[in-house]
Amino acid sequence: MNQRHFKYSVVRYLIDIPIILIALLISYNYFPQPEFIFPGRPLLSLLFLFSVVSWYIAAQFSNLYSDLRSKKFSEEIIYILFTVFLFIILLSFFLFMLRDRLYIENKFLLLFLFALMFLVVSTKYMLRKYLHKILYTGRLNDNILLIGATQAAKDFYDTINIHFYYGYQCIGFLDNEVKKLNGCTYLGTINDINTVLEENAVDEVIIALPNSKYEEVRTCLEACDLYGRRVRIIPDLYTYASSNIQINNIGMLPVINLRSLPQDRETNKIVKRAFDIIFSLSFFLILGWWLLPLIAILIKLSSKGSVLFKQERWGLNNKLIVCYKFRSMYHESPETDSNGKFMQASPNDTRVTPFGRFLRKWNLDELPQFWNVLLGNMSVVGPRPHVTPLNVSSMHKVERYMLRHLVKPGITGWAQVNGSRGETRTPHDMQKRVNHDLYYIHNWTFLLDCQIILQTIITIIKGDDNAY
């Protein structure tokens, strides 16, 4: 981390102190507490002290101040929500200990928490936008030296170039055999690493070499130690990509642990199923009871045919399920072309009705699938279920494709909130979607589901270019 980024991190860390004070003053302005005197009113000062201590203790547990450049803001909101949850517990503990000497009205605390949450989210968003602005100019970028020209190295290089706001700038790469890497500057062989580190301002070294190149890896690590450079390794773990990989230590030895899937555990199954039922029932009670009939009436008025569209798709363990959707295409539209090949929905697809285009843009055609969730053959979050022809055509062309059926399919998923939705024109597009699905399957947590739902809502509000 360069000096400028360090200063930014300090500001990001300390700015929550005045935010806590402002939230307290807002609450005091609307609900003044008779015991409080400010300035010089020790009880409000004491509450401010307790709040600051509670907040930063909670933030340490939630990792709120970790480097979140490579995460979306919706993911940062999850960190904030977790911090607020822990903050409430800690502050309640402090107030309980002083319950005989310090009385605070519930409405005061409620407004304080809402104000704090709003101010923290707003401030973090503005800071993130400011960071993106100065990262675009290159003033806060960390200079990266890439070692190796493997597929992982290419993916890493493309990622940091596409997402400039990650704050990484690759000055070049070293490799003993390959001299071209998606436009990245070639700086020499791996043995030239000492010269490169001495002559260039390098903040971090990324090693992306095959497992067999352990001698070259050791050479790079020794050079990084000599010149005091931070180093990270992108492991060549594609061989184990079908497993949930965890790297830990036994003594001084790093060990790769191939664990069972998180959703294989009974407790996690119960948590996920309970959440699916509660979330789906909440949808029907709050929105579904009036929104679904309204959409059905508009579909009926706008075009001939049934309201619902039932389609055979593959679910958990490759079992066939009937997936419910609102009909968005004209009645009896063909599903295959003249050659018998299945036709996916594409931009400006003539089969889609005008109202169906609206439904697809705002993802409203998927709402009947909450009934699938209640039936138990789908989940709110999971890999999107594909139609049978798409499964058959992809299972032999896309690596580890069938592993996406190890869990229930979902209404939304990790692939969809990361841009992999809509038409898959090439096997590479499908491989990208499958890789996202496998990441979700191997790294599932309840918080990840909450994060995906939040990102889905944000994407719907912002609009998705791939929704057609």
Side-chain angles (χ1 to χ4, degrees):
M1 181 184 296
N2 57 44
Q3 189 66 22
R4 289 179 176 177
H5 198 277
F6 174 76
K7 292 180 180 178
Y8 167 82
S9 299
V10 171
V11 172
R12 180 170 167 263
Y13 187 86
L14 296 179
I15 199 170
D16 289 340
I17 295 178
I19 287 177
I20 293 172
L21 178 59
I22 293 172
L24 275 173
L25 294 177
I26 290 174
S27 302
Y28 180 73
N29 181 64
Y30 283 96
F31 303 111
Q33 305 298 295
E35 299 90 343
F36 291 166
I37 306 173
F38 191 88
R41 299 181 179 181
L43 291 181
L44 186 55
S45 302
L46 189 62
L47 182 58
F48 172 66
L49 176 62
F50 286 160
S51 298
V52 170
V53 172
S54 299
W55 180 262
Y56 282 99
I57 292 176
Q60 291 304 309
F61 282 100
S62 66
N63 295 318
L64 178 63
Y65 299 114
S66 58
D67 191 353
L68 301 177
R69 286 181 292 174
S70 60
K71 297 184 181 295
K72 297 182 178 180
F73 184 65
S74 54
E75 297 179 63
E76 188 170 358
I77 291 178
I78 298 297
Y79 283 84
I80 295 172
L81 290 173
F82 187 40
T83 304
V84 171
F85 174 74
L86 296 177
F87 169 76
I88 293 172
I89 295 175
L90 291 170
L91 184 60
S92 299
F93 170 76
F94 283 125
L95 296 179
F96 179 77
M97 295 298 292
L98 296 175
R99 63 188 183 279
D100 295 332
R101 305 181 61 183
L102 181 62
Y103 174 76
I104 301 176
E105 296 181 16
N106 290 334
K107 56 185 179 182
F108 175 91
L109 290 174
L110 191 62
L111 179 58
F112 169 55
L113 292 173
F114 275 110
L116 179 62
M117 181 69 186
F118 174 78
L119 291 172
V120 169
V121 171
S122 301
T123 305
K124 301 295 184 190
Y125 180 78
M126 289 186 289
L127 280 174
R128 177 173 284 250
K129 288 301 179 183
Y130 173 73
L131 176 63
H132 290 177
K133 181 179 179 180
I134 55 180
L135 283 174
Y136 189 75
T137 65
R139 285 183 289 164
L140 282 182
N141 286 339
D142 285 343
N143 289 330
I144 298 292
L145 173 64
L146 188 57
I147 310 295
T150 59
Q151 184 60 49
K154 295 176 183 178
D155 291 342
F156 175 82
Y157 180 72
D158 291 341
T159 298
I160 63 174
N161 280 319
I162 294 173
H163 306 288
F164 71 89
Y165 48 82
Y166 286 1
Y168 298 118
Q169 179 178 344
C170 186
I171 66 168
F173 78 102
L174 303 176
D175 194 82
N176 291 339
E177 301 172 0
V178 180
K179 296 184 179 181
K180 292 184 179 180
L181 181 68
N182 296 1
C184 185
T185 305
Y186 179 68
L187 299 177
T189 65
I190 295 175
N191 291 330
D192 296 324
I193 185 172
N194 291 67
T195 303
V196 173
L197 292 179
E198 185 175 350
E199 295 178 353
N200 296 271
V202 177
D203 297 301
E204 188 168 350
V205 176
I206 303 294
I207 301 176
L209 291 170
N211 294 333
S212 58
K213 304 292 185 179
Y214 53 87
E215 288 293 342
E216 287 85 346
V217 172
R218 187 172 66 177
T219 298
C220 295
L221 293 177
E222 291 175 351
C224 292
D225 289 342
L226 179 63
Y227 289 93
R229 298 296 191 270
R230 289 183 293 120
V231 60
R232 279 190 277 184
I233 297 177
I234 302 177
D236 185 18
L237 295 174
Y238 290 105
T239 306
Y240 313 108
S242 62
S243 302
N244 188 17
I245 298 168
Q246 183 184 54
I247 299 178
N248 48 33
N249 290 329
I250 297 180
M252 299 293 292
L253 297 175
V255 178
I256 298 175
N257 181 25
L258 305 181
R259 298 182 297 159
S260 60
L261 299 178
Q263 293 188 52
D264 287 341
R265 301 170 192 152
E266 289 300 323
T267 52
N268 289 342
K269 287 182 181 179
I270 294 173
V271 169
K272 188 166 178 62
R273 181 58 184 154
F275 176 76
D276 285 341
I277 294 174
I278 294 172
F279 192 92
S280 299
L281 289 176
S282 299
F283 164 77
F284 283 116
L285 292 174
I286 297 173
L287 293 175
W289 69 271
W290 63 269
L291 182 59
L292 297 183
L294 176 62
I295 294 175
I297 293 172
L298 293 175
I299 291 174
K300 206 67 179 176
L301 293 175
S302 62
S303 61
K304 296 180 180 179
S306 60
V307 170
L308 289 178
F309 177 68
K310 302 176 184 179
Q311 194 171 51
E312 180 186 273
R313 301 198 177 191
W314 291 15
L316 177 65
N317 297 326
N318 306 330
K319 292 181 179 179
L320 297 181
I321 64 173
V322 176
C323 187
Y324 297 95
K325 297 180 65 175
F326 278 126
R327 181 177 58 82
S328 58
M329 294 186 176
Y330 289 104
H331 182 55
E332 295 184 349
S333 295
E335 293 189 2
T336 58
D337 58 18
S338 57
N339 298 320
K341 183 180 179 181
F342 176 75
M343 293 191 298
Q344 301 181 59
S346 59
N348 303 315
D349 197 319
T350 56
R351 297 175 298 166
V352 180
T353 67
F355 185 61
R357 204 172 305 280
F358 170 82
L359 293 177
R360 286 174 172 266
K361 180 175 179 57
W362 299 101
N363 297 279
L364 298 176
D365 59 320
E366 312 285 358
L367 294 182
Q369 289 167 28
F370 279 106
W371 178 246
N372 285 101
V373 176
L374 287 179
L375 291 176
N377 53 35
M378 285 185 65
S379 179
V380 175
V381 181
R384 285 292 298 152
H386 294 159
V387 295
T388 297
L390 195 57
N391 284 316
V392 173
S393 64
S394 300
M395 59 191 298
H396 298 300
K397 298 178 182 178
V398 180
E399 292 185 18
R400 304 178 299 277
Y401 179 84
M402 299 302 288
L403 295 178
R404 65 194 306 274
H405 300 132
L406 292 174
V407 299
K408 289 181 183 180
I411 299 177
T412 184
W414 184 245
Q416 283 63 48
V417 299
N418 282 281
S420 293
R421 63 160 298 175
E423 184 182 11
T424 51
R425 298 182 179 88
T426 65
H428 176 74
D429 293 335
M430 182 61 79
Q431 185 68 65
K432 183 179 178 182
R433 177 179 295 185
V434 170
N435 290 342
H436 280 112
D437 290 335
L438 293 181
Y439 173 87
Y440 169 80
I441 292 171
H442 297 148
N443 296 276
W444 177 87
T445 63
F446 175 70
L447 287 179
L448 180 59
D449 272 3
C450 295
Q451 172 189 319
I452 292 172
I453 292 172
L454 180 60
Q455 287 185 236
T456 301
I457 295 172
I458 293 175
T459 300
I460 291 175
I461 295 174
K462 291 171 58 179
D464 190 344
D465 295 335
N466 293 324
Y468 43 75

